[in-house]
Amino acid sequence: MADMSANAGMVLAALVLEACIGYPRVLFASIGHPVTWIGRLIAMLERNWNVPRTHAALRRFLGVLTVLIIVGIPVLIGYAFARTADHLNYGVVLVIVVAASGLAQRSLYEHVQAVLSALSADDVVSAREAVSHVVGRDTDRLNGEAIAVAAIESLAESFNDAVVAPVFWFVVGGLPGLLAYKAINTADSMIGHKEERWRAFGWAAARLDDIVNLVPARIAGVLLAAVAGRGFKIMLRDASKHASPNAGWPEAALAGALDVRLGGPAYYDGVLHERPHFGDGGYARVADLGRALALYKRSCLLLWAVLACLCSLPLIF
């Protein structure tokens, strides 16, 4: 419990730091981002090992090996860094700075705010371009309201992937836990697809991502519903409709919190996918995207408060 409380204090500091400065653009321009480093490694392994003519069983094995590599390296680096930091005068500060690079509160807000700004200016073309950075679906057919729906859904799901889940795994496993989560989540986004090309090779990445998000996604849903004072009923009723065992929790919670309807048909790579609906209200509009961003900020603050309580437990007991 003492370690988890200490971890809670460090990741709370990392959240505050990331909210204030984000990931500096000059740093990204000069050395990139840890996620991009992981992404390049995944792309290299996929390019060399996911060969179509290879038997599916072998590709699945190589996919498992890929996950072991891309998770093992960050875990070893995180462990070595944390152990080294223990012997430095300002080691805790270094761990906090590195942890902040694995969080994306500010960047998620800025990306979605860019969508809202374009929609508010009736600039659908710019809004499509902005939303394409946060969603995986085709955006060239979307009108203003469909763009708002897509942005709200992505905000809900990314609240878990970019904020809650990294925080959860830092509290549980320190810096190695956070880095392992980021590697798994990146692998899932790159190769954990159901299309023929990735079905066998990306199987392990997709299944492991499902497992590591099992608890955080439900926490994210609870936080969104809690700050709104409603949404629990819709979350419990509709979360299981989602094709993902986890993404439906924050999405359904936000639909209930906003009293809007999310989901519905969407195009991915030119193919229409019939998706379920979440919520009982009317389809989300542009104004609802602004409300969603306000709920997102309050949910982040509630997460900060939970961490503050957690790191205070040793003082109480």
Side-chain angles (χ1 to χ4, degrees):
M1 177 60 75
D3 287 344
M4 291 181 64
S5 296
N7 289 345
M10 286 189 286
V11 80
L12 173 58
L15 282 168
V16 174
L17 176 64
E18 193 274 336
C20 292
I21 65 174
Y23 191 81
R25 293 182 180 178
V26 64
L27 194 61
F28 184 84
S30 58
I31 66 171
H33 187 277
V35 169
T36 64
W37 307 338
I38 296 169
R40 284 197 289 269
L41 176 58
I42 295 169
M44 182 192 72
L45 293 172
E46 194 270 343
R47 187 168 55 250
N48 288 282
W49 287 354
N50 189 25
V51 180
R53 64 177 178 271
T54 304
H55 192 277
L58 178 56
R59 280 194 287 160
R60 178 172 289 200
F61 169 76
L62 292 173
V64 172
L65 186 58
T66 295
V67 169
L68 291 175
I69 291 171
I70 62 97
V71 173
I73 291 174
V75 166
L76 290 175
I77 292 173
Y79 179 77
F81 192 95
R83 288 296 299 270
T84 301
D86 286 341
H87 302 287
L88 300 176
N89 290 333
Y90 299 100
V92 171
V93 176
L94 292 177
V95 171
I96 290 170
V97 171
V98 174
S101 71
L103 304 167
Q105 293 169 115
R106 185 186 181 101
S107 63
L108 176 58
Y109 180 85
E110 289 175 344
H111 277 98
V112 178
Q113 179 61 49
V115 178
L116 178 60
S117 297
L119 289 175
S120 299
D122 292 325
D123 187 350
V124 176
V125 174
S126 295
R128 285 174 181 155
E129 171 63 23
V131 82
S132 71
H133 296 294
V134 294
V135 301
R137 73 193 66 179
D138 301 344
T139 60
D140 56 339
R141 310 167 186 258
L142 302 182
N143 60 21
E145 291 184 2
I147 292 170
V149 169
I152 292 171
E153 291 175 7
S154 182
L155 180 65
E157 185 174 358
S158 297
F159 175 52
N160 174 65
D161 295 350
V163 183
V164 177
V167 166
F168 176 85
W169 285 107
F170 189 99
V171 172
V172 172
L175 190 58
L178 182 148
L179 296 180
Y181 174 78
K182 297 302 293 184
I184 294 166
N185 191 243
T186 303
D188 177 64
S189 67
M190 293 181 66
I191 62 175
H193 309 301
K194 294 181 179 180
E195 287 80 6
E196 180 61 30
R197 173 181 171 181
W198 296 284
R199 187 175 301 139
F201 187 78
W203 171 84
R207 297 291 76 75
L208 188 55
D209 186 74
D210 288 343
I211 293 170
V212 297
N213 280 301
L214 199 64
V215 174
R218 286 148 180 80
I219 295 173
V222 168
L223 291 171
L224 289 166
V227 297
R230 63 181 181 181
F232 290 101
K233 179 181 177 181
I234 298 298
M235 178 179 70
L236 293 173
R237 189 194 72 189
D238 291 351
S240 60
K241 294 180 181 179
H242 203 288
S244 163
N246 300 312
W249 289 83
E251 287 188 28
L254 191 51
L258 296 171
D259 191 25
V260 299
R261 181 179 295 187
L262 301 176
Y267 282 90
Y268 293 84
D269 297 322
V271 179
L272 179 63
H273 291 251
E274 294 292 343
R275 306 180 308 149
H277 289 99
F278 305 95
D280 292 330
Y283 279 109
R285 300 180 181 274
V286 175
D288 296 315
L289 181 54
R291 295 169 56 218
L293 277 170
L295 282 176
Y296 167 74
K297 289 193 293 184
R298 288 160 54 194
S299 297
C300 288
L301 290 175
L302 179 56
L303 178 60
W304 292 15
V306 171
L307 291 169
C309 293
L310 184 57
C311 65
S312 301
L313 287 178
L315 300 176
I316 298 173
F317 296 101

